[in-house]
Amino acid sequence: MISLLRWKNFALNDRMLIMMTVSYNRLWKLLIDKNMNKTQLIKKAMISTNAMAHLGKNEDVRVGVLVRICDALECELDDIMELIPTEEDTV
């Protein structure tokens, strides 16, 4: 899985690294609610099948792809994806 990094600052310059993974489960639920399949979304949002394959594996995609999907489904970014914390390590 692709991880996104976010830094949190603590006292005395200690930092904690928080790993975030992306999940597109909200997108799949939204497609079910709108009675739409992946092929229909590819055509409506004008995205590539390669981008859809990456989404299906919860992998990184370009922000432009996510914007096109949101436009096609008339929704916001947090309606189709979420970031999930995975690990915490002190750096």
Side-chain angles (χ1 to χ4, degrees), residues 32-79:
I32 291 168
D33 291 344
K34 292 186 176 270
N35 198 27
M36 183 182 287
N37 63 37
K38 291 179 182 180
T39 303
Q40 292 168 325
L41 179 60
I42 288 170
K43 291 178 183 177
K44 187 171 183 177
M46 295 185 291
I47 62 172
S48 69
T49 54
N50 188 41
M52 182 58 74
H54 284 282
L55 290 166
K57 295 184 248 177
N58 287 330
E59 294 179 345
D60 190 27
V61 295
R62 293 178 178 248
V63 174
V65 169
L66 299 174
V67 170
R68 286 183 188 151
I69 291 170
C70 288
D71 285 344
L73 297 176
E74 298 176 355
C75 67
E76 298 293 325
L77 191 57
D78 63 344
D79 294 328

